[in-house]
Amino acid sequence: MAPSLNAALAGGASRLELVGYGGQPGEKDSDSRRLSLKRAIAVRQALIGAGLPANRIDVRALGGVEDNGATDRVDIFVKG
């Protein structure tokens, strides 16, 4: 996945946004947010290790999901 994301950044995208989720649907307590942050940071570190620029990766922690998606995921968005 890293080569595709690097190509997107080189092709004009300005940033990557990582959105982490953790906990049961709708949970927003500190434990859920902490877990979602930990997941998103782990993905960020893996992407940096694969050569993506750290200064172009943003991280958000949302706690429990509010959609029908998996509760243990990190979504990656290409912005810009």
Side-chain angles (χ1 to χ4, degrees), residues 2 15 17 19 22 25 40 49 63-64 75:
R15 306 193 71 73
E17 181 179 33
V19 181
D75 295 339

Side-chain angles (χ1 to χ4, degrees), residues 8 10-11 14 18 21 24 26-27 32-33 38 52 57 59 64 72-73 76 79:
S14 59
L18 308 180
Y21 298 92
Q24 297 302 313
E27 279 185 358
S32 296
R33 290 183 62 97
K38 189 175 183 177
L52 276 82
I57 302 174
V59 173
D72 58 347
R73 74 180 199 255
I76 302 174
K79 301 283 185 166

Side-chain angles (χ1 to χ4, degrees), residues 10-74:
S14 59
R15 306 193 71 73
L16 296 179
E17 181 179 33
L18 308 180
V19 181
Y21 298 92
Q24 297 302 313
E27 279 185 358
K28 299 295 180 197
D29 63 21
S30 62
D31 289 337
S32 296
R33 290 183 62 97
R34 194 173 305 123
L35 176 60
S36 61
L37 179 61
K38 189 175 183 177
R39 286 185 174 139
I41 289 174
V43 171
R44 181 180 185 271
Q45 288 305 114
L47 292 174
I48 292 168
L52 276 82
N55 63 339
R56 294 179 68 187
I57 302 174
D58 300 320
V59 173
R60 291 181 55 207
L62 296 184
V65 297
E66 294 182 4
D67 57 18
N68 292 326
T71 59
D72 58 347
R73 74 180 199 255
V74 175

